Each structure stands twice: as structure tokens, then as C-alpha cells.
Amino acid sequence: MSDSLEQNLEQNAQGPKKVRGDAGEVEQHGLTDQIAVDRYLASKKAARSKGLGIQMSKMVPPGA
């Protein structure tokens, strides 16, 4: 699902915001609104995932 969402965001960013023709007029949601929806869906997905969102790792200083 995220791949299609990313593709849609990319296509919408490349296309015009508003189109007017003989058949009518079409306007997309703003890019900032689309990015906000993407962030919301990503945070919702992260909240459902198992784990605490913390990764434990061992730090090894360079040299010495």
C-alpha cells in the first residue's frame, strides 16, 4: 500500500493542482495535505507494529 501511496504523491507533485476544460474543473488536494496524510498513515502503521520502536545496539568507538 505504501508504494502506491508514494507513487500517487509523486505523480500529484508533478501534475497541475487545478485543471479546467470544457467538461468542467478539477482541483486536487494540496501537497501539504497529502504529505500530512502520508505521515498520519505512517504513524498509524508504526503504532500497530510490535515492539517499542527502540533498537538496542552496542556502540564500539573507532580506534583504540
Side-chain angles (χ1 to χ4, degrees):
M1 179 176 150
S2 65
D3 291 336
S4 64
L5 183 60
E6 289 176 11
Q7 290 174 352
N8 285 340
L9 284 173
E10 186 176 334
Q11 288 175 354
N12 290 342
Q14 292 174 356
K17 180 178 179 181
K18 190 179 222 180
V19 176
R20 184 181 301 176
D22 294 335
E25 184 174 324
V26 177
E27 185 172 351
Q28 293 181 346
H29 291 285
L31 188 58
T32 54
D33 294 337
Q34 293 178 28
I35 292 171
V37 168
D38 184 40
R39 287 184 181 161
Y40 171 73
L41 292 175
S43 67
K44 203 170 159 184
K45 182 180 176 184
R48 278 188 265 138
S49 68
K50 293 182 181 180
L52 301 173
I54 299 173
Q55 181 180 3
M56 301 295 284
S57 62
K58 187 175 184 180
M59 296 193 60
V60 179

